[in-house]
Amino acid sequence: MAKNVKKLNVSCHCGSIKLTVDVAEPLSEIIRCNCSICSKSKGFGMISIAQENVKIIEGIESITEYVFNTSEAPHFFCIVCGTHTHHKSRNEPSKICINVACINNFNIADYKGAIENFDGINHPRDL
């Protein structure tokens, strides 16, 4: 089955940060990570997108960065509402991980694709 590219709109809770991401349809995989930041800050899931397919449309001044552990994967949050919108993938540095809860009009109940459980507690780059 050929995949079509769809532009998704992504935003934080208050709407200060707006992104667009180009994804292949149908969306085929959501990643759930069990590391401390993912389980505490979003706990829902993410999609991994090539950096060139992620565009900040509005609100760059509202983005703050949090780095921890190896400092290889900065996580980005809204300074107004605190929502974690995205982060640089530590596992695949050329990709950006988008918090699926921030995808406008996305309903997890309608999602029929795979959910990959990623063991971030035992990250392969820490071994």
Side-chain angles (χ1 to χ4, degrees):
M1 175 194 303
K3 292 188 176 186
N4 298 317
V5 174
K6 180 177 182 178
K7 188 174 296 294
L8 299 176
N9 295 308
V10 176
S11 63
C12 63
H13 184 261
C14 72
S16 293
I17 299 171
K18 293 186 173 94
L19 310 160
T20 60
V21 295
D22 293 330
V23 298
E25 270 203 321
L27 194 59
S28 61
E29 182 179 80
I30 290 177
I31 303 161
R32 290 196 67 162
C33 179
N34 66 355
C35 81
S36 60
I37 188 114
C38 287
S39 60
K40 288 183 180 274
S41 71
K42 58 183 184 295
F44 189 72
M46 62 190 130
I47 55 174
S48 183
I49 306 291
Q51 283 182 324
E52 62 269 14
N53 293 328
V54 178
K55 306 284 186 274
I56 298 172
I57 301 302
E58 193 175 310
I60 197 158
E61 69 284 352
S62 295
I63 297 174
T64 192
E65 179 180 306
Y66 174 66
V67 294
F68 63 101
N69 195 8
T70 62
S71 301
E72 293 179 38
H75 285 61
F76 303 100
F77 296 81
C78 176
I79 62 171
V80 179
C81 66
T83 301
H84 171 269
T85 53
H86 62 292
H87 67 273
K88 182 177 178 184
S89 174
R90 183 169 162 218
N91 209 37
E92 296 181 77
S94 65
K95 293 195 173 184
I96 300 292
C97 296
I98 303 293
N99 180 353
V100 295
C102 294
I103 300 172
N104 298 346
N105 303 313
F106 179 78
N107 183 346
I108 191 67
D110 296 334
Y111 176 71
K112 305 295 183 221
I115 296 179
E116 175 191 341
N117 290 309
F118 181 79
D119 186 11
I121 290 173
N122 300 296
H123 197 287
R125 295 194 54 194
D126 287 341
L127 305 176

